[in-house]
Amino acid sequence: MDKHHYKPKRGLWTSRLGFIMASAGSAVGLGNIWKFPYITGMHGGGAFVLFFIFCIVAVGVPIMIAEMVIGRHTRKDPVGAFRKLRGGPWTLVGWLGVTAGFVILSYYCVVAGWAVDYLWLAVKGTFSGKHIQEVPELFTSLLASDLSQLFWQAVFMAATVWIVLGGVSNGLERANKLMMPVLFLILIVLAVRGLFSPGGPKALAFLFTPDWQKLDATAMLEAMGHAFFSLSLGMGAMLTYGSYADEGTNIPNVALTVSIMDTCVALLAGIAIFPIVFTYGMAPAAGPGLVFKTLPIIFSQMPGGTLIAIMFFLLLVFAALTSSISLLEVVVAYYCDEKKWQRRNATVVMGFLIFLLGVPSALSNHLLADVHFIGGRNFLDSIDLLATNYILPLGGLLIAIFTGWVMTTRLARGEIEKGAVNFHYYPVWHFLIKYVSPVLVAIVFLSRSGLF
Ligand code: PFF
């Protein structure tokens, strides 16, 4: 297939590696390092982890392929893509995605702000020589400061806007290529260190020995929702990135590579964090502060800890940035493609509005701590729950149904085989996307709602 067949008026990745790195950058983020370990801790480990991996394989990879296929075929933002392919009520799937991008980015910037604060603490050498008991208190005092959280949230959002302003190949692509490998490396160092610490064996047993009793419907929904969140699926982020990919790109290959990388980073983060939990007798179910309360203990003790802490939080912030830009990109692409806004205006205006929506999340641990929403959760945890456990899986379910049942085989296969010539696994993918993914998502939804 002629690689230059598509004459872009929109941006295009300058290389295939750039596309892989950008997609991996979108997938790997706070979801892997902040969220995966803490929800694993809350849901009892092993069984949750294995079900999560199962969801990645049975639901995540097929839907990632589907999103990229739709994106590259239509060369549009999520709303435009569904309108072009079918229109009518299906356009709502695109809308759901743009809304999800808006909502998720709002609190994503707050949590990323915590990471920026920790980067700043690391630079100041705060962790060095701290007593074990003092480390978790650093997090408590951060949460007690509304102003600090707002400040770092604003800084992080400004950085996101700045990169997205640079456009596809300049901003998004260049930002991604450099830091991913370094992040991998540092996580491996921390994981190996964890494994050889006194809590190492217990941590491994916790993470990989399933106790199926603990996998109730709530845990299943959380694991599945997190598979969507972690792989950036269900809201058109991979669709949007796919829309900038050239026709020679082997989509199944990219989807598989990205999913494997994403899962490895999450597992490495778990293997780095849980040995600390068990070595120092901390609670695995410590909640959203887990990573911030555990890793700095190690940084406070190891030789060269300050430097490693700086690198770790720098990379965490960077991983968060490569995800946040994809969230903003979904919203910006919609305003540019559908509403014909200038890219610059769309980026700045939407960045600002999303920042405003994030303010209650930033205040949710102190000023608004007594305002409870879903199941007694604060604002941040409530919209995280709503977006991750409901909106993304619903979006994913609809994307799977659309690809499996509405899009013609000729179209889907044709698009995939542009870059993956004679794709032997096409029937496998088609079976997964047509039957397995939608049925699994539906079962998990229904069992959570008590109907099943
Ligand atoms: N996948 C990102 C993470 O794990 O941190 C979060 C995310 C990015 C979710 C982009 C959804 C999305 F569209």
Side-chain angles (χ1 to χ4, degrees):
M1 183 47 78
D2 176 12
K3 180 169 152 193
H4 303 292
H5 174 71
Y6 170 65
K7 291 271 180 297
K9 268 195 242 67
R10 311 162 78 236
L12 205 63
W13 307 111
T14 55
S15 70
R16 291 190 194 147
L17 181 66
F19 173 49
I20 295 186
M21 293 310 267
S23 311
S26 168
V28 175
L30 296 170
N32 308 62
I33 296 168
W34 161 69
K35 199 165 173 196
F36 172 76
Y38 103 68
I39 55 177
T40 296
M42 295 185 72
H43 291 287
F48 180 86
V49 173
L50 294 181
F51 188 70
F52 168 72
I53 296 176
F54 172 67
C55 289
I56 297 270
V57 176
V59 182
V61 177
I63 293 183
M64 191 181 297
I65 296 176
E67 281 204 24
M68 289 175 171
V69 163
I70 295 174
R72 192 177 63 184
H73 185 77
T74 57
R75 301 281 178 203
K76 294 247 178 236
D77 66 290
V79 175
F82 283 99
R83 182 175 292 142
K84 183 169 169 179
L85 284 174
R86 193 68 181 205
W90 285 107
T91 314
L92 287 176
V93 182
W95 265 104
L96 194 70
V98 176
T99 313
F102 202 95
V103 171
I104 294 176
L105 184 56
S106 76
Y107 67 86
Y108 204 83
C109 286
V110 175
V111 178
W114 299 346
V116 187
D117 182 83
Y118 266 62
L119 173 59
W120 180 232
L121 292 180
V123 169
K124 287 192 298 186
T126 311
F127 305 133
S128 145
K130 271 252 177 307
H131 195 267
I132 300 162
Q133 261 89 43
E134 292 172 314
V135 171
E137 284 164 16
L138 291 170
F139 189 68
T140 316
S141 61
L142 169 61
L143 290 195
S145 168
D146 293 317
L147 218 58
S148 304
Q149 290 185 79
L150 282 174
F151 175 73
W152 294 121
Q153 177 206 359
V155 168
F156 185 83
M157 180 52 106
T160 304
V161 165
W162 184 66
I163 299 178
V164 174
L165 277 178
V168 170
S169 59
N170 248 340
L172 303 189
E173 187 169 338
R174 233 192 313 160
N176 276 296
K177 272 193 197 159
L178 186 68
M179 298 233 202
M180 285 280 293
V182 193
L183 178 66
F184 243 114
L185 209 73
I186 203 161
L187 274 175
I188 289 175
V189 171
L190 292 172
V192 170
R193 204 194 135 92
L195 283 180
F196 287 102
S197 71
K202 243 186 165 173
L204 275 190
F206 178 77
L207 282 170
F208 299 109
T209 316
D211 173 358
W212 298 109
Q213 301 281 320
K214 293 192 174 140
L215 195 67
D216 56 9
T218 312
M220 277 164 69
L221 183 61
E222 183 93 281
M224 191 184 70
H226 187 65
F228 281 100
F229 184 87
S230 193
L231 293 177
S232 306
L233 296 178
M235 52 156 281
M238 291 301 177
L239 186 157
T240 308
Y241 273 16
S243 77
Y244 306 130
D246 85 51
E247 316 228 297
T249 305
N250 184 330
I251 287 180
N253 244 344
V254 174
L256 200 63
T257 311
V258 169
S259 305
I260 291 172
M261 282 166 79
D262 189 70
T263 311
C264 288
V265 172
L267 295 178
L268 280 173
I271 299 173
I273 287 171
F274 282 104
I276 309 173
V277 170
F278 292 112
T279 301
Y280 296 104
M282 303 167 87
L290 187 69
V291 60
F292 299 102
K293 291 176 179 167
T294 50
L295 282 180
I297 295 183
I298 294 302
F299 300 144
S300 74
Q301 294 173 355
M302 64 202 281
T306 296
L307 190 68
I308 304 220
I310 294 173
M311 278 174 65
F312 176 81
F313 285 111
L314 188 68
L315 292 166
L316 180 59
V317 170
F318 191 80
L321 264 177
T322 54
S323 301
S324 65
I325 55 183
S326 71
L327 286 160
L328 185 56
E329 183 63 29
V330 171
V331 181
V332 167
Y334 166 72
Y335 281 93
C336 292
D337 285 357
E338 303 302 304
K339 302 281 169 205
K340 307 294 173 220
W341 285 27
Q342 290 206 327
R343 193 175 165 89
R344 201 186 156 73
N345 297 346
T347 310
V348 174
V349 171
M350 289 303 132
F352 183 67
L353 292 179
I354 294 170
F355 170 78
L356 289 184
L357 179 65
V359 169
S361 287
L363 303 180
S364 66
N365 285 299
H366 187 60
L367 192 67
L368 302 180
D370 294 329
V371 189
H372 300 300
F373 296 87
I374 307 174
R377 291 173 179 79
N378 66 16
F379 186 80
L380 192 162
D381 295 343
S382 298
I383 52 167
D384 181 24
L385 180 91
L386 197 69
T388 307
N389 289 9
Y390 294 95
I391 303 183
L392 294 185
L394 178 64
L397 175 68
L398 294 172
I399 291 171
I401 293 175
F402 184 83
T403 317
W405 297 86
V406 179
M407 232 164 120
T408 61
T409 301
R410 200 162 54 94
L411 192 153
R413 186 164 200 155
E415 191 60 44
I416 291 185
E417 292 196 339
K418 279 179 186 167
V421 189
N422 293 329
F423 178 48
H424 295 305
Y425 297 105
Y426 183 83
V428 179
W429 172 72
H430 198 245
F431 180 76
L432 286 172
I433 201 79
K434 189 164 184 162
Y435 302 105
V436 179
S437 313
V439 169
L440 203 71
V441 178
I443 289 178
V444 174
F445 263 145
L446 292 179
S447 61
R448 176 64 184 87
S449 67
L451 290 173
F452 208 69

